[in-house]
Amino acid sequence: MPSSFAVRASGLSLNLLRIATGFCHAQHGAQKLLGAFGGMGDSGGAAPFMSIFWIAGVMETIGGTLVALGLFTRPVAFLLSGEMAVAYFQFHAPRGFWPILNHGELPVLYTFIYLFLAANGGGNLSLDGLFRRKPALPPPAAETPSQSS
């Protein structure tokens, strides 16, 4: 049986992983969608409207923000996992097998981190966790001997 410290550390690490992953992924989306943080490629601009990179930018900006906040974590993480798998196989894998050589380490990591979040949820410090909590109900009234017959 895990100690209470291990349980707390596990919960905290899940929340930190979710927040850091969503925050970083939203920045990648802002690069594509808004041209922020130096923009895309050599031009440094935003992706053309409705291009595959623009759509990825929308998914990453909105999805990364939702994951960081812990809102709709499981379905959003599942979609982003798929997006990152597609990105890897479409743009990185054709350049070679090894992610370190085809520059696909980030898509691989995002794919598996998002699969983990889809399976485990956003944690107790997420908006999902906040909405899932139910208000405490008053304790049931004690039975009196006359009611138990």
Side-chain angles (χ1 to χ4, degrees):
M1 177 135 186
S3 69
S4 63
F5 172 77
V7 171
R8 285 193 312 268
S10 176
L12 179 61
S13 62
L14 171 62
N15 287 295
L16 290 174
L17 178 68
R18 173 186 49 78
I19 292 166
T21 301
F23 178 72
C24 289
H25 206 190
Q27 291 176 61
H28 283 282
Q31 274 187 310
K32 295 174 184 80
L33 189 61
L34 308 170
F37 310 113
M40 286 188 48
D42 296 333
S43 67
F49 180 70
M50 293 304 290
S51 68
I52 192 166
F53 291 108
W54 185 88
I55 293 167
V58 170
M59 290 178 70
E60 292 166 8
T61 304
I62 295 170
T65 301
L66 288 172
V67 166
L69 294 172
L71 186 60
F72 308 117
T73 305
R74 288 178 190 263
V76 171
F78 184 75
L79 289 172
L80 291 176
S81 175
E83 181 223 355
M84 287 291 93
V86 167
Y88 180 78
F89 286 109
Q90 188 171 9
F91 297 106
H92 298 278
R95 292 192 246 162
F97 178 76
W98 300 106
I100 191 72
L101 297 176
N102 66 28
H103 304 286
E105 306 97 332
L106 278 177
V108 168
L109 286 172
Y110 277 128
T111 296
F112 287 100
I113 290 171
Y114 281 132
L115 276 177
F116 176 81
L117 291 173
N120 289 280
N124 59 347
L125 299 178
S126 65
L127 290 177
D128 290 337
L130 178 68
F131 296 142
R132 187 175 52 247
R133 290 185 196 106
K134 296 178 182 169
L137 297 174
E143 285 190 30
T144 61
S146 64
Q147 292 175 335
S148 61
S149 44

